[in-house]
Amino acid sequence: AAFTASHLGCLLRMAQLARALPAECRRVFTLRKVYGYSGKELATRLGIPDEAVEELLIQAARVCAQESTTGVLGTACSPPDEAVIANP
């Protein structure tokens, strides 16, 4: 199974959104959401307090929430079904 055009479109919209974030916020967001780093790992890797990591993730979440209803994302993106995830 493969991702549908809808899933790929969603990924492209998320990439647009990430590019719109401030640099440090984008870095934390990408390392957390794409690469799966924990908050503690991010703080250590970036040399910033855990609280700063959390604030940056909250900032990114706010932008995502706002954009999902008013901007780049448009309609909500639905996740691919489990078969697609298990057999890319």
Side-chain angles (χ1 to χ4, degrees), residues 21-44:
L21 294 170
E24 189 173 21
C25 187
R26 179 177 57 247
R27 187 173 185 195
V28 168
F29 176 80
T30 302
L31 289 171
R32 175 73 177 114
K33 299 299 182 183
V34 176
Y35 295 100
Y37 283 87
S38 70
K40 181 69 101 180
E41 290 171 323
L42 286 169
T44 300

Side-chain angles (χ1 to χ4, degrees), residues 13-72:
R13 290 191 303 274
M14 288 300 291
Q16 287 176 317
L17 178 59
R19 282 193 300 273
L21 294 170
E24 189 173 21
C25 187
R26 179 177 57 247
R27 187 173 185 195
V28 168
F29 176 80
T30 302
L31 289 171
R32 175 73 177 114
K33 299 299 182 183
V34 176
Y35 295 100
Y37 283 87
S38 70
K40 181 69 101 180
E41 290 171 323
L42 286 169
T44 300
R45 180 180 175 97
L46 301 175
I48 60 177
D50 292 348
E51 296 80 15
V53 170
E54 291 305 315
E55 277 301 314
L56 290 165
L57 290 171
I58 289 168
Q59 180 182 352
R62 286 182 182 139
V63 171
C64 289
Q66 180 180 0
E67 289 297 321
S68 70
T69 58
T70 63
V72 169

